Amino acid sequence: MVTILASLVLGARMVNFQELIEGLFSQNYVSYGATVIQKRIPRTIFSLCCGAALGVAGVLMQSVARNPLADPSILGVNTGAALFVVSGIAFFQITKANQYIWLALVGAAITTVFVFTIGSLGRGGATPIKLVLAGAATSAAFSSLVTAIMIPSQYAMDQFRFWQVGSVGAGSWDSIKIFLPFLLIGLAIAFISAPALNALALGDDVAIGLGVRPGTLRFFAICAGVILCGITTALAGPISFIGLLATHAMRLIIGSDFRFLIPMSALAGAIILTCSDVVGRLIGSPGELEVGIVTAFIGAPILILLAKRSKVRSI
């Protein structure tokens, strides 16, 4: 509630209490501050949805990879989605959000399959270290392709350069309507899978003994993670660190029980992303600093601090 209040009140134009009440509860508002509140309401809701989606995607990626460093951005999923979006902009002149969505989802899915395939090669199958290395290499390669596509096309560069840093500034009621069905599907799969993910954390053999099918579980968990990450990347751009930071923070507080870790990571992701958006508006006033930049600056040192104090070494 404090985060939501801060998102509504703080920014380039500060809003007082009277304007806040008028903007929230009066239909015949006349003050400029009330108009600002009306503009910030969908942005705040959109930011909360994006943060929740990234937080849960981080939990699912870490559980499937059995790696506390796994995250959509680290495994290259965001970059894969970005590659398909910039390809659509450059080659097909795509500009609408509903077209971005399908390109981002396809890109995220193909990248996920590619990374897990590469990480599964050789002895031992898909080990945590191999998955992170495969994700880092894939992300670097796809980033180079994104640059190669943009450089010859001024149109693609203009359209893509604001989207690629990650921002919730374009959040609107239309974006929320597009976002919600994908968010609900991803969250439903995650919540239903939570007890089985607890079993999977004990190892495949134990999970099989408890009646869990590891292959099927991983498939649905990956699908949910791709949906949540892809829809967020399509509408808000590639925002990093949220899934990693939210999951680590909640694991330190409540432990590794996925029945509680999934909803609490959704809450933590929503709070972190919305707070970062507020910080970006305050720092960049009278303009704004995109939230993707803020999360990188805030997330990196906090993550290093958590890693130094963390007793979690594996999942």
Side-chain angles (χ1 to χ4, degrees), residues 12-210:
R13 169 60 158 84
M14 300 295 182
V15 178
N16 59 42
F17 181 75
Q18 181 178 351
E19 292 171 328
L20 174 64
I21 298 300
E22 183 181 350
L24 289 176
F25 302 108
S26 176
Q27 296 182 350
N28 299 317
Y29 55 86
V30 293
S31 67
Y32 179 69
T35 304
V36 171
I37 292 294
Q38 288 292 317
K39 295 293 185 182
R40 288 177 181 172
I41 289 175
R43 176 176 182 150
T44 301
I45 296 175
F46 181 68
S47 176
L48 294 171
C49 290
C50 290
L54 292 174
V56 175
V59 175
L60 295 175
M61 291 294 181
Q62 290 179 24
S63 65
V64 171
R66 297 190 65 191
N67 186 345
L69 294 178
D71 175 76
S73 58
I74 292 178
L75 292 179
V77 180
N78 285 347
T79 312
L83 175 61
F84 273 66
V85 170
V86 74
S87 298
I89 293 173
F91 302 131
F92 304 103
Q93 284 72 50
I94 289 175
T95 58
K96 296 181 179 179
N98 58 349
Q99 296 171 318
Y100 282 166
I101 289 172
W102 300 112
L103 285 172
L105 288 175
V106 171
I110 292 176
T111 304
T112 301
V113 172
F114 181 76
V115 169
F116 274 84
T117 300
I118 297 299
S120 300
L121 297 177
R123 296 181 180 178
T127 63
I129 295 298
K130 286 164 65 178
L131 286 174
V132 170
L133 292 175
T138 301
S139 182
F142 284 3
S143 295
S144 300
L145 289 176
V146 167
T147 304
I149 293 172
M150 282 196 303
I151 288 177
S153 174
Q154 184 65 41
Y155 171 79
M157 185 175 292
D158 290 340
Q159 293 290 320
F160 187 75
R161 59 178 176 164
F162 296 107
W163 176 86
Q164 74 175 117
V165 295
S167 173
V168 295
S172 63
W173 292 116
D174 290 336
S175 301
I176 295 170
K177 290 178 182 178
I178 295 172
F179 196 105
L180 278 179
F182 294 93
L183 176 63
L184 293 176
I185 292 172
L187 292 180
I189 296 174
F191 290 141
I192 293 172
S193 303
L197 291 174
N198 282 332
L200 186 66
L202 301 174
D204 286 8
D205 293 338
V206 176
I208 293 172
L210 294 173

Side-chain angles (χ1 to χ4, degrees), residues 255-272:
S256 298
D257 189 335
F258 288 97
R259 294 173 299 172
F260 307 107
L261 185 61
I262 288 174
M264 292 306 294
S265 293
L267 179 63
I271 292 173
I272 293 170

